[in-house]
Amino acid sequence: MDRLDRLRGPEPPRPHDARAIAALAANPGCARRAVLDAAGVDKDAVATHLGFPAPFGRSPFAITRGDAFEALVKEGGGAELLRLLRELLGLPLPLAGYTDLADVGGNPSAHLRHSHTRRLIDRAARDAGEAATLYDHPLLRLEIAGYHSYLEPDVVAFQLGGRFHIVEIKSFAVVDGQAEPDKVAAAARQAAVYVLALSTLLAELGHDPSRVSHEIVLVCPENFANRPAATLVDVRRELAVLRRQLARMTRVGAIVEPLPDTLTFDLGRDDGGVPRRPVAELRSAVREVGARYAPDCLNTCDLCFFCREEAAEAGATDLLGRQVRDELGGVATVAEALALADGSLAPDDDRAEIARLLRLADRLYAEVS
Amino acid sequence: MSTLSALARLRALREGRAQRLATVRHCHLSDRPMVLIPLRLAGEAAAPLAAMAGTDPDHPRLLVVPQPRDRDLRFAFTAELAEVVLPYVEGLQKATETVERRGAEPYERCVDAPQLLVPNPAGVTFVQLLGRSTRFRRAEGPYAVHPSVPVLGRWLTFFGRRAQYPGSVLLAAATDLLSLHWATGQSALEDANLASLLGWIDPPPGMSGASAAREAEDPLVWPPAGPATDPGFDAEVLAPAIRAYQEAPGERAAAAVAAAVRSQLEPTWRLMWRAVDLLRALPPGGGAAARWEGDRTAFTAFAAQLAEGAPPQPRRDGAVAAAARLARMERARAVYDAQRAFDDPLVMAGHRLAGEAFTGTVVAAEPDRTEGEGRGRKLRPLLVVRTGDPVRLAAGARLATPARRGQRADVVDVAGGEVTLKIVKGMGRGTTATPGAVPQVGEVVCYAALTDEYQPPAALPAPEETPWTHGGPPPEYVPAEDDAEEDWS
Ligand code: SF4
């Protein structure tokens, strides 16, 4: 049995969505997350069983609105989307076809669906005509930390004259040409994941990977209406960051190697699906793999409350955020930083500079507050 | 973030309680602020779901949209919000004072101004969006709305834009005001949660700030302070209530939605007034009143524009207006930073740690030193200050000092824990220093590379002379027919 399968236990691996991968790249130094994700562990279920359920819920209103907007954009077999693309690119695009790649019949495995996507993309890349083709829900995959991960297919790939664009549909509004910057940034990071996955696929098929445009098409509702509007977003920077971080990301193999053979994150579900694994046991299993908590985890990782608690127990300065850590010159624990500040701990050479600043800060604080 | 505030966060963790970051209050606080807590329907840009508003802690006004997707109900909500906000804003325009100016016409300024307090920065953004979605509406024609709606829209837009101005508090987020004065033992990201921030600052008796903050993260105990609602609440309580209203619209169903959102708003309402009390208990710093004067001037000017029938604010600024605004904001930022440091030794301490300011003892002084010859002879006293602070100032840096506000000095030399200064302004006319203007040997002084001086605005072309590289002269805003009819779905 594969090592990662054993870590996960008998449950089927969880597919990754681009959001998770974008977030994974945001905290590339966290071994815990890398291992759990590579093994396809259901982190949410693990966090819940540990007594630290993730704080992420999606409101039914947001889901309904998102679905309704997506349906609106894809209306009429892609006709509306094509109209938007025509306007955006200023091209008289005839529509050659709209293919929903999720339509494979039955409930085939991710592997089969991926092969289906591969075949169709290959064909599109070979005999690209002047007409546009829309591929909805392409099932792409990406190599993450040495393992292939399938991506949740929630984008449209658009092919014209042998060039591909990733189209991302989001339901946040663009008001007078402006949207919330962090939402646009998140959308760009996610789209970059698909751009990378699609160009990798083209390369595997022997085509030129640069046929995937680094400009993605972002479709959002405009102003306060439900009317969609499309914009081109250049994701070159996000792509570069993603590439670099995926490459730099500690190879999971190297992290998994020294772990005890018997280690597993299996929840020990009974026949009714209820997790039966003793919590203490699961806790020590999770703690076998080192984490690197940062407050950003609170927005991106299901295990955030668990890891935060762990950081708090350890008195880690990570708890206070990267900016504070930077100000503290990387001093790792609260106790050490405070001891340097009140002079009860003599600094080593590396810490002399920050210790001097902290002592001065301590003196000033006492003097003026 | 400075080493000082980092240390304050560490201390907060150790003490289990927030630590002071300021010895005085750096924001004006109105005697009668209006608290406004807006809620938005999840997934929508600016669909109001409810709001709790008012100036009396004991009598909040609850406004509810029982079906947030219904356009007419939304406009009924904004008209109702106008009923709360406009009388407050208009009432403050009545009493004015005459401001005399040297070399210019005196002008009238309102003696007080409104202050809207929302829980967090997302609340400020929502006020802006609500202003944007209502200011172009019209009282006649198709899709007519109540006449108060576009007026409210212009006011909210004014408040929203003013909120971006450093040091302005006509519209402010409670979490921002509190974070300016206290450091917690958690991250800045977590401080954006009003309940958990207040947990650190003012934990219930017998509870540590850390545990109060943790408890505050439970949406069942402390519902989010908006505009986003708790997804669990949406699914289990709100969605069924709205559905019931949809199926059988009527007072009973509307009351059920109102009761549901009230449960989400009331805890935050109480927190907001606790925040007001905590801030009020701090002694005000001098600069806060000066900045409030600026707010009052802006308020008076906008009220006059509105009275003269000015069109709604444009969707976007033209290039020149945007550049001028940016330059104004940069200057305001510099003045704001300087004033806070001059008002507050704790804030100054942060600058001292960064090497931009220092405190020390005068070890030598030449108060009557002059430079130049004959008629060009100028008084230029020299000072040598011994300090233990890590000074990082270059020769020529222009300094000011909190003890003598009009004084300016240039750094001549920094060496071996001694700073040599040359006083260039604010030491007296002629060739003898005014008694007391130049610090004496033995006096403890503080100098900082900060300035709260008025600086003349950068020269920018008039809007009609906008260079083509910046889009050329902006078209004058002409209210377009479809502005008022814009969808709001
Ligand atoms: S929450 Fe924990 S596991 Fe997740 S990224 Fe952060 S430190 Fe790693």
Side-chain angles (χ1 to χ4, degrees), chain B residues 322-366:
Chain B
R325 188 171 139 77
L326 211 63
R328 267 202 315 278
M329 302 231 287
E330 263 171 36
R331 286 200 307 279
R333 159 68 50 198
V335 169
Y336 180 46
D337 287 347
Q339 284 178 343
R340 276 183 302 141
F342 291 157
D343 284 345
D344 187 342
L346 198 48
V347 175
M348 185 62 92
H351 294 281
R352 288 167 61 190
L353 275 166
E356 300 150 8
F358 60 90
T359 292
T361 311
V362 178
V363 290
E366 266 184 72

Short mmCIF file of all heavy atoms in Angstrom, two decimals, chain B residues 322-366:
data_model
loop_
_atom_site.label_atom_id
_atom_site.label_comp_id
_atom_site.label_asym_id
_atom_site.label_seq_id
_atom_site.Cartn_x
_atom_site.Cartn_y
_atom_site.Cartn_z
N ALA B 322 -7.86 63.36 -8.47
CA ALA B 322 -7.32 62.20 -7.75
C ALA B 322 -5.92 62.50 -7.24
O ALA B 322 -5.58 62.16 -6.10
CB ALA B 322 -7.31 60.97 -8.67
N ALA B 323 -5.10 63.16 -8.08
CA ALA B 323 -3.73 63.46 -7.66
C ALA B 323 -3.74 64.47 -6.51
O ALA B 323 -2.98 64.34 -5.54
CB ALA B 323 -2.93 64.02 -8.84
N ALA B 324 -4.63 65.47 -6.60
CA ALA B 324 -4.70 66.48 -5.56
C ALA B 324 -5.13 65.83 -4.24
O ALA B 324 -4.58 66.11 -3.17
CB ALA B 324 -5.70 67.57 -5.96
N ARG B 325 -6.08 64.92 -4.36
CA ARG B 325 -6.58 64.24 -3.17
C ARG B 325 -5.49 63.40 -2.53
O ARG B 325 -5.31 63.39 -1.31
CB ARG B 325 -7.75 63.36 -3.59
CG ARG B 325 -8.52 62.73 -2.47
CD ARG B 325 -9.76 62.08 -3.04
NE ARG B 325 -9.99 60.78 -2.40
CZ ARG B 325 -10.50 60.65 -1.19
NH1 ARG B 325 -10.84 61.70 -0.50
NH2 ARG B 325 -10.66 59.46 -0.66
N LEU B 326 -4.74 62.72 -3.37
CA LEU B 326 -3.65 61.88 -2.87
C LEU B 326 -2.61 62.72 -2.14
O LEU B 326 -2.13 62.35 -1.07
CB LEU B 326 -3.01 61.14 -4.06
CG LEU B 326 -2.45 59.78 -3.73
CD1 LEU B 326 -3.56 58.86 -3.28
CD2 LEU B 326 -1.72 59.20 -4.94
N ALA B 327 -2.28 63.86 -2.75
CA ALA B 327 -1.28 64.74 -2.14
C ALA B 327 -1.79 65.27 -0.80
O ALA B 327 -1.05 65.30 0.19
CB ALA B 327 -0.96 65.89 -3.09
N ARG B 328 -3.08 65.62 -0.76
CA ARG B 328 -3.66 66.10 0.49
C ARG B 328 -3.60 65.02 1.57
O ARG B 328 -3.28 65.28 2.72
CB ARG B 328 -5.13 66.46 0.28
CG ARG B 328 -5.38 67.92 -0.06
CD ARG B 328 -6.82 68.32 0.27
NE ARG B 328 -7.85 67.41 -0.15
CZ ARG B 328 -8.36 67.34 -1.39
NH1 ARG B 328 -7.89 68.12 -2.34
NH2 ARG B 328 -9.31 66.47 -1.69
N MET B 329 -3.89 63.80 1.16
CA MET B 329 -3.90 62.71 2.13
C MET B 329 -2.50 62.43 2.65
O MET B 329 -2.32 62.12 3.83
CB MET B 329 -4.47 61.45 1.50
CG MET B 329 -5.87 61.66 0.99
SD MET B 329 -7.03 60.45 1.56
CE MET B 329 -6.55 59.08 0.60
N GLU B 330 -1.50 62.53 1.77
CA GLU B 330 -0.13 62.29 2.22
C GLU B 330 0.27 63.32 3.26
O GLU B 330 0.90 62.99 4.27
CB GLU B 330 0.84 62.37 1.03
CG GLU B 330 1.16 61.01 0.47
CD GLU B 330 1.94 61.12 -0.82
OE1 GLU B 330 2.76 62.05 -0.94
OE2 GLU B 330 1.69 60.30 -1.72
N ARG B 331 -0.09 64.58 2.99
CA ARG B 331 0.26 65.63 3.96
C ARG B 331 -0.48 65.40 5.26
O ARG B 331 0.09 65.53 6.35
CB ARG B 331 -0.07 67.01 3.39
CG ARG B 331 0.90 67.47 2.32
CD ARG B 331 0.83 68.97 2.16
NE ARG B 331 -0.52 69.45 1.92
CZ ARG B 331 -1.12 69.42 0.72
NH1 ARG B 331 -0.49 68.94 -0.32
NH2 ARG B 331 -2.35 69.87 0.59
N ALA B 332 -1.75 65.03 5.14
CA ALA B 332 -2.53 64.79 6.35
C ALA B 332 -1.91 63.65 7.16
O ALA B 332 -1.90 63.69 8.39
CB ALA B 332 -3.97 64.47 5.98
N ARG B 333 -1.40 62.66 6.46
CA ARG B 333 -0.78 61.52 7.15
C ARG B 333 0.45 61.98 7.95
O ARG B 333 0.62 61.62 9.11
CB ARG B 333 -0.40 60.46 6.10
CG ARG B 333 0.64 59.44 6.45
CD ARG B 333 0.23 58.45 7.51
NE ARG B 333 -1.06 57.83 7.24
CZ ARG B 333 -1.81 57.19 8.16
NH1 ARG B 333 -1.38 57.10 9.40
NH2 ARG B 333 -2.95 56.67 7.84
N ALA B 334 1.28 62.82 7.33
CA ALA B 334 2.49 63.30 8.00
C ALA B 334 2.12 64.14 9.23
O ALA B 334 2.70 63.98 10.31
CB ALA B 334 3.34 64.11 7.02
N VAL B 335 1.13 65.00 9.06
CA VAL B 335 0.72 65.86 10.17
C VAL B 335 0.13 65.01 11.30
O VAL B 335 0.42 65.21 12.48
CB VAL B 335 -0.33 66.89 9.68
CG1 VAL B 335 -0.96 67.62 10.86
CG2 VAL B 335 0.33 67.90 8.74
N TYR B 336 -0.67 64.03 10.92
CA TYR B 336 -1.31 63.15 11.89
C TYR B 336 -0.25 62.40 12.71
O TYR B 336 -0.31 62.36 13.94
CB TYR B 336 -2.19 62.18 11.11
CG TYR B 336 -2.96 61.16 11.92
CD1 TYR B 336 -3.65 61.53 13.06
CD2 TYR B 336 -3.01 59.84 11.50
CE1 TYR B 336 -4.37 60.59 13.78
CE2 TYR B 336 -3.73 58.90 12.20
CZ TYR B 336 -4.41 59.27 13.34
OH TYR B 336 -5.12 58.34 14.05
N ASP B 337 0.75 61.85 12.03
CA ASP B 337 1.81 61.13 12.74
C ASP B 337 2.56 62.06 13.69
O ASP B 337 2.85 61.71 14.83
CB ASP B 337 2.81 60.54 11.73
CG ASP B 337 2.22 59.35 10.99
OD1 ASP B 337 1.16 58.85 11.43
OD2 ASP B 337 2.80 58.93 9.97
N ALA B 338 2.86 63.27 13.20
CA ALA B 338 3.62 64.21 14.02
C ALA B 338 2.82 64.64 15.24
O ALA B 338 3.32 64.63 16.37
CB ALA B 338 4.01 65.42 13.18
N GLN B 339 1.56 64.99 15.01
CA GLN B 339 0.75 65.46 16.14
C GLN B 339 0.62 64.41 17.22
O GLN B 339 0.72 64.71 18.41
CB GLN B 339 -0.65 65.87 15.65
CG GLN B 339 -0.64 67.21 14.92
CD GLN B 339 -2.01 67.59 14.40
OE1 GLN B 339 -2.90 66.74 14.28
NE2 GLN B 339 -2.19 68.86 14.06
N ARG B 340 0.42 63.17 16.80
CA ARG B 340 0.28 62.13 17.83
C ARG B 340 1.56 61.98 18.63
O ARG B 340 1.54 61.80 19.84
CB ARG B 340 -0.11 60.80 17.19
CG ARG B 340 -1.62 60.70 16.95
CD ARG B 340 -1.98 59.36 16.40
NE ARG B 340 -1.28 59.13 15.16
CZ ARG B 340 -0.77 57.98 14.77
NH1 ARG B 340 -0.89 56.92 15.51
NH2 ARG B 340 -0.13 57.88 13.62
N ALA B 341 2.70 62.04 17.95
CA ALA B 341 3.98 61.91 18.66
C ALA B 341 4.19 63.09 19.61
O ALA B 341 4.65 62.91 20.74
CB ALA B 341 5.13 61.82 17.66
N PHE B 342 3.82 64.30 19.18
CA PHE B 342 4.02 65.48 20.02
C PHE B 342 3.07 65.47 21.22
O PHE B 342 3.38 66.02 22.27
CB PHE B 342 3.82 66.76 19.21
CG PHE B 342 4.92 66.98 18.20
CD1 PHE B 342 4.71 67.76 17.08
CD2 PHE B 342 6.17 66.40 18.37
CE1 PHE B 342 5.72 67.96 16.15
CE2 PHE B 342 7.19 66.59 17.46
CZ PHE B 342 6.95 67.37 16.33
N ASP B 343 1.91 64.84 21.04
CA ASP B 343 0.93 64.79 22.12
C ASP B 343 1.23 63.70 23.14
O ASP B 343 0.62 63.68 24.21
CB ASP B 343 -0.47 64.49 21.55
CG ASP B 343 -1.08 65.70 20.87
OD1 ASP B 343 -0.56 66.80 21.08
OD2 ASP B 343 -2.06 65.53 20.12
N ASP B 344 2.05 62.75 22.77
CA ASP B 344 2.07 61.51 23.54
C ASP B 344 3.48 60.91 23.59
O ASP B 344 4.00 60.44 22.59
CB ASP B 344 1.11 60.53 22.85
CG ASP B 344 0.90 59.25 23.66
OD1 ASP B 344 1.72 58.97 24.55
OD2 ASP B 344 -0.08 58.55 23.38
N PRO B 345 4.10 60.93 24.78
CA PRO B 345 5.46 60.38 24.88
C PRO B 345 5.55 58.91 24.50
O PRO B 345 6.60 58.44 24.06
CB PRO B 345 5.81 60.58 26.36
CG PRO B 345 4.55 60.91 27.06
CD PRO B 345 3.61 61.46 26.05
N LEU B 346 4.44 58.19 24.64
CA LEU B 346 4.48 56.76 24.30
C LEU B 346 4.56 56.59 22.78
O LEU B 346 5.27 55.71 22.29
CB LEU B 346 3.23 56.07 24.87
CG LEU B 346 3.25 54.56 25.01
CD1 LEU B 346 4.50 54.06 25.69
CD2 LEU B 346 2.02 54.10 25.80
N VAL B 347 3.85 57.43 22.05
CA VAL B 347 3.94 57.37 20.60
C VAL B 347 5.33 57.85 20.17
O VAL B 347 5.97 57.27 19.30
CB VAL B 347 2.85 58.23 19.93
CG1 VAL B 347 3.03 58.26 18.42
CG2 VAL B 347 1.47 57.69 20.29
N MET B 348 5.82 58.91 20.84
CA MET B 348 7.16 59.41 20.53
C MET B 348 8.20 58.32 20.77
O MET B 348 9.17 58.19 20.04
CB MET B 348 7.46 60.65 21.38
CG MET B 348 8.78 61.33 21.05
SD MET B 348 8.86 61.96 19.34
CE MET B 348 8.27 63.64 19.57
N ALA B 349 7.98 57.51 21.82
CA ALA B 349 8.93 56.45 22.13
C ALA B 349 9.11 55.51 20.94
O ALA B 349 10.22 55.04 20.67
CB ALA B 349 8.46 55.68 23.35
N GLY B 350 8.03 55.26 20.21
CA GLY B 350 8.13 54.42 19.01
C GLY B 350 9.07 55.04 17.99
O GLY B 350 9.90 54.34 17.39
N HIS B 351 8.98 56.34 17.80
CA HIS B 351 9.87 57.03 16.86
C HIS B 351 11.31 57.04 17.38
O HIS B 351 12.26 56.97 16.60
CB HIS B 351 9.39 58.46 16.62
CG HIS B 351 8.07 58.54 15.91
ND1 HIS B 351 7.95 58.36 14.55
CD2 HIS B 351 6.81 58.74 16.36
CE1 HIS B 351 6.67 58.47 14.20
NE2 HIS B 351 5.96 58.70 15.29
N ARG B 352 11.44 57.13 18.70
CA ARG B 352 12.80 57.11 19.26
C ARG B 352 13.46 55.76 19.00
O ARG B 352 14.63 55.69 18.66
CB ARG B 352 12.75 57.39 20.77
CG ARG B 352 12.42 58.85 21.09
CD ARG B 352 12.08 59.04 22.55
NE ARG B 352 13.18 58.67 23.45
CZ ARG B 352 13.04 58.57 24.77
NH1 ARG B 352 11.86 58.81 25.34
NH2 ARG B 352 14.07 58.25 25.52
N LEU B 353 12.68 54.70 19.16
CA LEU B 353 13.24 53.37 18.92
C LEU B 353 13.63 53.20 17.46
O LEU B 353 14.58 52.50 17.14
CB LEU B 353 12.20 52.30 19.28
CG LEU B 353 12.19 51.91 20.74
CD1 LEU B 353 10.93 51.13 21.05
CD2 LEU B 353 13.42 51.07 21.04
N ALA B 354 12.85 53.85 16.58
CA ALA B 354 13.15 53.73 15.15
C ALA B 354 14.31 54.65 14.76
O ALA B 354 14.73 54.64 13.61
CB ALA B 354 11.90 54.06 14.34
N GLY B 355 14.78 55.48 15.71
CA GLY B 355 15.93 56.34 15.42
C GLY B 355 15.57 57.66 14.77
O GLY B 355 16.45 58.42 14.39
N GLU B 356 14.25 57.94 14.66
CA GLU B 356 13.85 59.20 14.01
C GLU B 356 13.65 60.31 15.03
O GLU B 356 13.31 61.43 14.66
CB GLU B 356 12.51 59.02 13.29
CG GLU B 356 12.52 57.97 12.23
CD GLU B 356 11.15 57.33 12.08
OE1 GLU B 356 10.18 57.81 12.70
OE2 GLU B 356 11.07 56.32 11.35
N ALA B 357 13.77 59.99 16.29
CA ALA B 357 13.61 61.00 17.33
C ALA B 357 14.53 60.59 18.47
O ALA B 357 14.99 59.45 18.54
CB ALA B 357 12.16 61.02 17.81
N PHE B 358 14.81 61.54 19.36
CA PHE B 358 15.63 61.18 20.52
C PHE B 358 15.30 62.11 21.67
O PHE B 358 14.83 63.23 21.48
CB PHE B 358 17.12 61.25 20.19
CG PHE B 358 17.57 62.62 19.76
CD1 PHE B 358 18.01 63.56 20.68
CD2 PHE B 358 17.53 62.98 18.43
CE1 PHE B 358 18.41 64.82 20.29
CE2 PHE B 358 17.91 64.25 18.02
CZ PHE B 358 18.36 65.18 18.94
N THR B 359 15.56 61.59 22.86
CA THR B 359 15.42 62.39 24.06
C THR B 359 16.77 62.37 24.75
O THR B 359 17.46 61.34 24.73
CB THR B 359 14.34 61.79 24.97
OG1 THR B 359 13.09 61.95 24.33
CG2 THR B 359 14.28 62.51 26.31
N GLY B 360 17.17 63.50 25.31
CA GLY B 360 18.47 63.53 25.99
C GLY B 360 18.63 64.81 26.77
O GLY B 360 17.72 65.63 26.88
N THR B 361 19.84 64.96 27.33
CA THR B 361 20.13 66.12 28.17
C THR B 361 21.04 67.07 27.41
O THR B 361 22.00 66.63 26.78
CB THR B 361 20.84 65.66 29.45
OG1 THR B 361 20.09 64.56 29.99
CG2 THR B 361 20.90 66.76 30.49
N VAL B 362 20.73 68.35 27.51
CA VAL B 362 21.58 69.35 26.85
C VAL B 362 22.90 69.43 27.62
O VAL B 362 22.90 69.64 28.84
CB VAL B 362 20.89 70.72 26.84
CG1 VAL B 362 21.80 71.77 26.20
CG2 VAL B 362 19.56 70.63 26.11
N VAL B 363 24.02 69.22 26.93
CA VAL B 363 25.32 69.28 27.61
C VAL B 363 26.09 70.54 27.22
O VAL B 363 27.05 70.92 27.89
CB VAL B 363 26.19 68.03 27.35
CG1 VAL B 363 25.58 66.83 28.05
CG2 VAL B 363 26.33 67.77 25.86
N ALA B 364 25.69 71.19 26.14
CA ALA B 364 26.32 72.45 25.77
C ALA B 364 25.33 73.27 24.98
O ALA B 364 24.52 72.72 24.24
CB ALA B 364 27.58 72.19 24.93
N ALA B 365 25.39 74.59 25.15
CA ALA B 365 24.47 75.45 24.41
C ALA B 365 25.14 76.77 24.10
O ALA B 365 25.88 77.33 24.92
CB ALA B 365 23.21 75.70 25.24
N GLU B 366 24.93 77.25 22.90
CA GLU B 366 25.44 78.57 22.50
C GLU B 366 24.24 79.36 22.02
O GLU B 366 23.99 79.46 20.82
CB GLU B 366 26.40 78.41 21.31
CG GLU B 366 27.86 78.30 21.65
CD GLU B 366 28.68 78.23 20.37
OE1 GLU B 366 28.79 79.27 19.67
OE2 GLU B 366 29.14 77.13 20.05
#
